[in-house]
Amino acid sequence: MSIALIAHGGAGRWRPGSDEDALEGLRVAVEAGRAILARGGRSLDAVCATVVALEDNPIYNAGTGAVLNFDGYCELDACVMESRESRVGAVSGLQRVRNPILVARKVMEETDHVMLTGDGAQRFARVMGFPDHDPVTPERRADWFDKRNRIDEVLGEHAHKMRRFLKEHPEYAGGTVGAAAVDADGVLAAATSTGGVTLKMVGRVGDSPVPGAGNYASGRVAASATGTGEFVLRSLATRAIAERVEAGAGLAEAVEAVLARLGEAYDADVGLIAVDDRGLAVARHRTRDMPHAYFRGDAAVVALMRV
């Protein structure tokens, strides 16, 4: 059984000059997961370690450095899933934690539930020993002020202009981080974490914490999505990839078909990564950029800004 892991840092348009920082952060994160898999560790531990490294890097929109909602604070979403027994845990609307992906894992391991949200997720995080942490960075605060000042005129009754604005300026929208892996025992796992979209409505939940939408792991495939979450939610994109593979499609074929469907149905700005039970890793996206990195077996880590 060939071990493999792939991770993404968010689909969209990265600011000029930021490519190398985005790719280096992904290399470091994937190496953290690789070290676990190489010594015979579990895919669950590997994807969590990878996403923790991305959450701790403020250039990504997850954990520390996540984007701010309309009222100026972070609401963090995350999901982790393991193919063994279809175990899954998720959180949404967390405000003051460092690593939402680890809180999601605790939901999976310590409760009978799948998802906790808002105040309940916050209380659970404290009970589980996660200390108070302010994820808002000065750079994100300054960005929030700038965008609030520039788009106030397109809100309200002219909200349709917001959609045009986002399409013309995809760098405005927040990305997501995620990882998918298979270990030496053939167990697959996926982990996804996000701050959502800049200036999102308070209480908005996207696709990232929803199993089958932004994050999924089955006996054949583990996958993570990034981009416009509402469209990923409507299509249950990561579950759709698994269904196509289970029906006999190759992994690349399945990912490309789901991505094409998202384009045809919604003209959606999205990206997808996936790993199958044979250790094949695939990344595809409809945006200009989607920094991602992967390895398989003993091969070196490969980091790319776009496919």
Side-chain angles (χ1 to χ4, degrees):
M1 182 67 62
S2 179
I3 60 173
L5 186 149
I6 187 169
H8 68 75
R13 180 182 297 167
W14 283 67
R15 290 179 175 87
S18 64
D19 290 20
E20 190 50 46
D21 288 341
L23 295 178
E24 181 58 26
L26 278 159
R27 289 188 194 99
V28 170
V30 170
E31 288 289 2
R34 177 179 184 164
I36 291 169
L37 293 175
R39 62 175 180 259
R42 297 164 60 193
S43 56
L44 177 64
D45 294 328
V47 295
C48 286
T50 300
V51 169
V52 162
L54 297 170
E55 289 177 333
D56 288 345
N57 188 329
I59 70 171
Y60 302 106
N61 175 21
T64 301
V67 299
L68 281 59
N69 65 15
F70 190 82
D71 283 0
Y73 61 88
C74 294
E75 290 182 293
L76 309 170
D77 302 338
C79 180
V80 62
M81 187 168 184
E82 184 181 57
S83 63
R84 184 168 47 193
E85 299 177 356
S86 298
R87 299 198 308 155
V88 61
V91 291
S92 68
L94 277 175
Q95 294 181 24
R96 296 184 64 92
V97 295
R98 179 173 178 173
N99 296 117
I101 198 66
L102 298 182
V103 184
R105 181 171 178 172
K106 284 293 186 183
V107 172
M108 179 181 75
E109 295 176 335
E110 303 293 338
T111 81
D112 294 320
H113 305 315
V114 166
M115 184 186 295
L116 295 177
T117 191
D119 290 342
Q122 196 74 43
R123 289 170 58 190
F124 174 76
R126 298 292 180 257
V127 169
M128 290 292 100
F130 294 94
D132 183 69
H133 174 76
D134 184 0
V136 180
T137 63
E139 292 79 10
R140 291 296 194 193
R141 176 67 66 188
D143 185 61
W144 177 81
F145 274 115
D146 173 62
K147 289 181 171 62
R148 275 293 297 262
N149 290 335
R150 286 196 293 118
I151 70 164
D152 279 351
E153 70 271 15
V154 303
L155 295 178
E157 63 179 349
H158 301 297
H160 64 280
K161 294 182 181 177
M162 174 65 87
R163 178 176 172 83
R164 185 180 66 193
F165 179 88
L166 289 171
K167 188 170 184 64
E168 293 173 352
H169 302 280
E171 71 275 14
Y172 162 83
T176 297
V177 305
V182 60
D183 60 31
D185 293 324
V187 179
L188 291 119
T192 306
S193 181
T194 190
V197 180
T198 306
L199 297 189
K200 65 184 181 180
M201 292 178 65
V202 175
R204 180 263 191 186
V205 178
D207 63 298
S208 297
V210 180
N215 195 74
Y216 194 69
S218 69
R220 297 290 308 280
V221 175
S224 174
T226 175
T228 309
E230 281 69 19
F231 299 135
V232 176
L233 269 169
R234 294 179 196 181
S235 63
L236 293 177
T238 54
R239 174 57 191 163
I241 293 170
E243 287 176 342
R244 287 179 179 274
V245 172
E246 290 159 5
L251 183 63
E253 176 189 355
V255 172
E256 289 163 2
V258 171
L259 194 65
R261 174 60 180 161
L262 282 161
E264 294 165 2
Y266 309 112
D267 191 25
D269 292 328
V270 294
L272 301 166
I273 61 168
V275 167
D276 67 13
D277 55 345
R278 299 175 299 162
L280 180 64
V282 171
R284 298 288 188 273
H285 54 99
R286 298 190 72 251
T287 54
R288 189 190 73 178
D289 305 324
M290 187 181 74
H292 58 283
Y294 64 92
F295 83 93
R296 182 183 188 188
D298 296 327
V301 172
V302 176
L304 300 168
M305 198 64 189
R306 52 194 66 90
V307 176

